[in-house]
Amino acid sequence: MRAQFVLSEIGVGLRRNLTMTIAVVVSVALSLALAGASLLVRDQVNSMKGYWYDKVEVSVYFCTKADAKSAPQCADGAATQDQIDAVKAGLDKLTPSVVKESTFENQQEAYKHWKEMNPDSALVSVLGADAIPASWRVKLQDPTRYDIIQSQFAGQKGVRSVEDQRKILENLFGLLNGLQTAAFVIMLLMLSVALLLIVNTVRVSAFSRRRETGIMRLVGASNFYVQMPFIAEAAFAALLGAVLASGLLLVGNFGVHHWLASRVQFIHFIGLSSVLQVIPLLMVVGMGMAAIAAFLTLRKYLKV
């Protein structure tokens, strides 16, 4: 098959169905951009989990004088030094099999950190250091094994509560996973629209060139020879859409790192390498989807 003939037929098809071709390019671009965004959100969530879960701590908070009335487990008043040491002894037994390291924060240190985090709070002038609980800050070898610390120290004398920072992060991860799911659903809808446009474009193109294809068949051209220009035309339109989608992802990555990253510093954003890994996949998926849709359409509507 001559490449020149195929290229000329692609040009003819694109010129005859310019508006539908533009619609295919745009719809493919949007659907592939959403597909790429969905993959990148997944990578972002996994990256954040790996980054933050290694830093989260389990905090064993001790009773204060103020907890004697509000917390039944603190009815005896503030935790004693013996009770604090008992928790330390329990943590030592779990080191290093479960516990990576543990750090004690007394009430004065906890009060200082609380004031630094809440400088504008009206409670700063009211609360004293005795209102902020002392705690053991525990880093685990495996952050998912929080239940071991919970089961061993919750309810122990002098312990007010055992809290896992992962619960705070999981709300953020839940939001990101929700965005990923929404992007995936919209992507499926856009892919459906793109497929319908590709099918209609191929049908119109085949109908407008039915005389040429009939002559080609009469002179002995094979089915593949006749169908190849239509398939290549659809694949080329999808390639343009994939290129546009790649451009959108690159622009989005630029915006994230040059605008959003400076304003949301607690998130470790994935880099350009992740986007570059997704782009070839978008190219293959876009062209493959269009070629298969065109081939199946031609088998039904192009009688040669």
Side-chain angles (χ1 to χ4, degrees):
M1 181 183 298
R2 293 184 304 167
Q4 183 179 359
F5 169 75
V6 176
L7 293 176
S8 65
E9 288 298 303
I10 291 175
V12 170
L14 294 177
R15 286 194 302 271
R16 287 185 178 179
N17 305 288
L18 183 59
T19 55
M20 294 190 69
T21 300
I22 293 175
V24 169
V25 171
V26 173
S27 60
V28 169
L30 292 177
S31 58
L32 292 181
L34 287 169
S38 179
L39 293 175
L40 292 175
V41 169
R42 182 199 62 187
D43 291 343
Q44 179 66 62
V45 171
N46 292 336
S47 174
M48 290 176 62
K49 285 181 178 179
Y51 180 80
W52 284 107
Y53 278 176
D54 187 53
K55 293 174 173 55
V56 299
E57 297 176 330
V58 176
S59 298
V60 181
Y61 290 106
F62 293 101
C63 297
T64 64
K65 292 180 181 179
D67 294 326
K69 297 180 180 179
S70 59
Q73 65 272 27
C74 298
D76 296 334
T80 64
Q81 187 60 46
D82 289 340
Q83 291 170 341
I84 294 174
D85 292 340
V87 172
K88 172 60 175 172
L91 292 174
D92 288 341
K93 292 180 181 178
L94 296 174
T95 306
S97 59
V98 176
V99 176
K100 180 185 293 186
E101 62 177 304
S102 56
T103 305
F104 182 69
E105 184 179 65
N106 59 38
Q107 287 185 289
Q108 287 73 27
E109 293 171 337
Y111 181 64
K112 179 182 177 181
H113 292 160
W114 180 80
K115 287 198 301 181
E116 290 173 351
M117 296 177 63
N118 303 274
D120 300 324
S121 175
L123 297 176
V124 171
S125 60
V126 179
L127 295 179
D130 58 345
I132 308 299
S135 63
W136 278 106
R137 307 282 185 172
V138 183
K139 285 190 175 181
L140 303 179
Q141 298 287 1
D142 181 358
T144 62
R145 302 184 68 185
Y146 152 77
D147 57 320
I148 296 178
I149 305 297
Q150 169 73 24
S151 61
Q152 179 155 340
F153 298 107
Q156 187 168 315
K157 289 186 177 181
V159 175
R160 187 183 73 178
S161 62
V162 179
E163 297 183 6
D164 182 14
Q165 292 179 347
R166 283 198 316 148
K167 294 180 179 179
I168 301 174
L169 294 175
E170 283 176 352
N171 291 329
L172 174 61
F173 295 149
L175 173 62
L176 292 175
N177 285 326
L179 292 175
Q180 180 186 9
T181 301
F184 181 76
V185 171
I186 297 174
M187 176 203 70
L188 291 179
L189 293 175
M190 290 302 301
L191 281 177
S192 300
V193 172
L195 286 172
L196 290 175
L197 284 171
I198 291 171
V199 169
N200 286 330
T201 301
V202 172
R203 287 178 60 188
V204 171
S205 181
F207 180 79
S208 64
R209 284 182 279 174
R210 63 191 183 281
R211 185 172 182 178
E212 292 94 323
T213 55
I215 294 173
M216 291 171 63
R217 182 58 175 166
L218 289 174
V219 299
S222 65
N223 287 347
F224 182 75
Y225 191 88
V226 175
Q227 295 173 356
M228 188 60 193
F230 299 99
I231 297 174
E233 178 185 327
F236 181 75
L239 175 62
L240 293 178
V243 171
L244 182 56
S246 301
L248 292 174
L249 292 180
L250 290 172
V251 170
N253 180 75
F254 179 84
V256 165
H257 283 277
H258 290 80
W259 182 79
L260 187 60
S262 61
R263 291 166 173 77
V264 187
Q265 299 182 0
F266 66 91
I267 295 181
H268 180 258
F269 290 102
I270 57 177
L272 179 62
S273 59
S274 298
V275 180
L276 295 179
Q277 290 176 357
V278 168
I279 287 177
L281 179 61
L282 299 184
M283 300 287 185
V284 172
V285 170
M287 295 181 67
M289 172 190 71
I292 293 173
F295 175 74
L296 296 177
T297 302
L298 291 170
R299 288 190 62 184
K300 182 176 182 181
Y301 294 102
L302 187 61
K303 305 300 183 181
V304 296

